[in-house]
Amino acid sequence: MTYKAKIVKLVIVLCIVIVIIVKWHTLAYLANYIKGYYVTIKESLITPDTVSIIYPTRFLNYKHPYHNAPCDLLHCGNMLLYTPSKEERVSDIAQKLIGYTYYYKASHLQNAIVSLNAVSSKTVAAGTVLVIPHPLPFITIDLTKKSMTQIPYVKGVYYSGNSLASQKMMCQLYQLKQAGINAVVFDVKDVCGTVNYKSHVPIVVELNTHEKRPIDDVVTLIRNFKELDLYVIARIAVFRDHLLATKSPDMAIKSKRTGGIWNQGSKELWVDPTKQSVWDYNIALACEIASMGADEVQFDYIRFPTTGDLSDAQYAYDFGKKSKVETITEFLAKAKNELHKLNTAVS
């Protein structure tokens, strides 16, 4: 065998070793990464009217999730190792590292860490090497949207907040994807008022309306959806909001008779559609989930109440005394304007 042939053979062996280390799925990421650049160049040369996109997320941009990883975290191939510099609670480790894994609920990651590493206590000593299960590959989907996602039709499935907490959800979703769905709708905020993920919107944090959230890392959840080529629709129940009315009575519709919260004692409390702070709360939430990768925000309960003692309802009219139609129309116009800046559709 000639020297040149030996070199070629060595290169082939090295390539095989690299493939084994990074696994085949990483090559798929690289392929899509190249396709993403190709489509970007193509779109810059061809007018958008001549481009027909059938699958909303077939070509995607990617980023490196470990670029700013802490120094005590080591990613190599399909392995993620964490070595705490001081004694830490397993629950804190799960919260800290969830963004580097496919888990979107911290308790699930915590249980997996305990099981995989045979951890026998709630804390881990400094210097202990932990294997973190189901880590992200070295490049992942970038959820930043450079343009509004186009989709010819929607055939999807809806998940409430609690159903998202099920560990079987992604498996079920994969089966539904195989059956032909191309979209998923999930509750960002339901009629109870619970914000279903860990939000960073100041008023949500202040009022702690995400306290009973089923999702700790909504970015990972949305990324999981995108990896299945699904169009992601975030549902927000706007003006029917029991929790917000309770935690911030100033935002609730008032009772003319008592001066307190209108419809108090019922299971159906509403915040005031004519109040500036209520608009700001919901639009801030919509913009946050849009910036996290949702393709569309679906506003529900975008109306005034129709049951209860309506004659007793007192509205603030922060924008002047306008009709219900005008109020709702102006709210939607403002929300649409803000969301379109983030390349997010509104329904």
Side-chain angles (χ1 to χ4, degrees):
M1 186 181 291
T2 64
Y3 177 74
K4 188 181 246 184
K6 287 181 180 179
I7 294 296
V8 171
K9 187 176 180 180
L10 180 60
V11 169
I12 292 172
V13 171
L14 285 173
C15 288
I16 292 171
V17 170
I18 290 171
V19 168
I20 292 172
I21 291 174
V22 302
K23 290 199 173 183
W24 290 105
H25 71 269
T26 304
L27 293 182
Y29 277 96
L30 287 172
N32 252 332
Y33 195 72
I34 294 168
K35 288 177 184 177
Y37 275 112
Y38 167 74
V39 170
T40 301
I41 294 169
K42 186 177 179 181
E43 287 180 345
S44 67
L45 298 174
I46 304 173
T47 58
D49 293 339
T50 64
V51 179
S52 178
I53 301 174
I54 302 301
Y55 297 98
T57 55
R58 180 176 293 279
F59 300 109
L60 301 161
N61 292 314
Y62 287 82
K63 66 177 183 179
H64 302 279
Y66 299 100
H67 181 65
N68 294 314
C71 59
D72 44 12
L73 191 66
L74 174 64
H75 179 256
C76 180
N78 201 37
M79 290 282 288
L80 185 62
L81 304 176
Y82 178 69
T83 309
S85 56
K86 60 181 181 180
E87 185 178 62
E88 284 190 66
R89 294 172 60 88
V90 181
S91 58
D92 292 339
I93 293 172
Q95 287 284 356
K96 181 179 180 180
L97 302 182
I98 191 170
Y100 298 101
T101 73
Y102 279 103
Y103 290 93
Y104 55 87
K105 190 168 178 62
S107 61
H108 293 169
L109 175 57
Q110 179 182 340
N111 293 338
I113 291 172
V114 169
S115 176
L116 183 61
N117 295 276
V119 177
S120 57
S121 66
K122 293 183 179 180
T123 60
V124 175
T128 304
V129 179
L130 294 175
V131 179
I132 307 302
H134 301 297
L136 297 175
F138 74 94
I139 53 173
T140 58
I141 294 172
D142 184 356
L143 298 178
T144 304
K145 302 186 296 293
K146 295 183 179 179
S147 61
M148 200 169 292
T149 307
Q150 302 297 318
I151 188 168
Y153 65 90
V154 171
K155 183 180 180 182
V157 61
Y158 161 73
Y159 285 100
S160 66
N162 289 332
S163 61
L164 289 170
S166 170
Q167 289 183 294
K168 297 179 181 179
M169 189 272 292
M170 286 306 300
C171 293
Q172 293 169 345
L173 195 59
Y174 178 78
Q175 293 171 348
L176 290 168
K177 169 66 179 176
Q178 298 299 103
I181 70 165
N182 68 348
V184 60
V185 183
F186 74 98
D187 269 344
V188 166
K189 177 166 73 77
D190 53 31
V191 294
C192 295
T194 299
V195 175
N196 286 317
Y197 67 92
K198 186 176 182 180
S199 172
H200 299 286
V201 172
I203 187 65
V204 173
V205 176
E206 179 186 338
L207 297 175
N208 203 15
T209 51
H210 61 179
E211 180 182 12
K212 296 183 179 179
R213 61 186 179 272
I215 305 163
D216 291 302
D217 191 338
V218 74
V219 171
T220 297
L221 178 68
I222 292 174
R223 187 191 298 118
N224 289 348
F225 291 154
K226 295 277 188 178
E227 288 189 350
L228 288 176
D229 268 350
L230 294 173
Y231 182 78
V232 181
I233 303 171
R235 174 181 176 266
I236 297 177
V238 183
F239 298 126
R240 183 178 170 184
D241 191 324
H242 195 100
L243 188 60
L244 185 59
T246 304
K247 290 209 168 195
S248 182
D250 286 346
M251 294 192 195
I253 298 173
K254 294 292 187 291
S255 166
K256 293 177 182 177
R257 186 175 60 256
T258 67
I261 298 174
W262 175 78
N263 221 21
Q264 182 79 55
S266 76
K267 294 182 179 180
E268 189 175 319
L269 296 185
W270 290 69
V271 288
D272 190 341
T274 71
K275 206 161 179 61
Q276 174 79 56
S277 56
V278 173
W279 285 29
D280 293 344
Y281 179 87
N282 283 282
I283 291 174
L285 204 54
C287 288
E288 181 179 56
I289 201 66
S291 68
M292 290 176 169
D295 297 301
E296 181 177 316
V297 172
Q298 180 188 88
F299 290 120
D300 202 355
Y301 287 90
I302 181 71
R303 60 178 175 84
F304 285 69
T306 55
T307 58
D309 185 0
L310 301 180
S311 63
D312 185 45
Q314 176 69 52
Y315 298 102
Y317 294 112
D318 285 357
F319 308 98
K321 197 160 187 178
K322 298 178 180 179
S323 70
K324 293 179 180 179
V325 172
E326 286 176 315
T327 300
I328 298 303
T329 300
E330 289 182 12
F331 169 82
L332 285 173
K334 183 177 181 181
K336 184 177 180 180
N337 181 56
E338 294 300 319
L339 288 168
H340 278 195
K341 292 176 185 177
L342 298 169
N343 296 312
T344 304
V346 177
S347 62

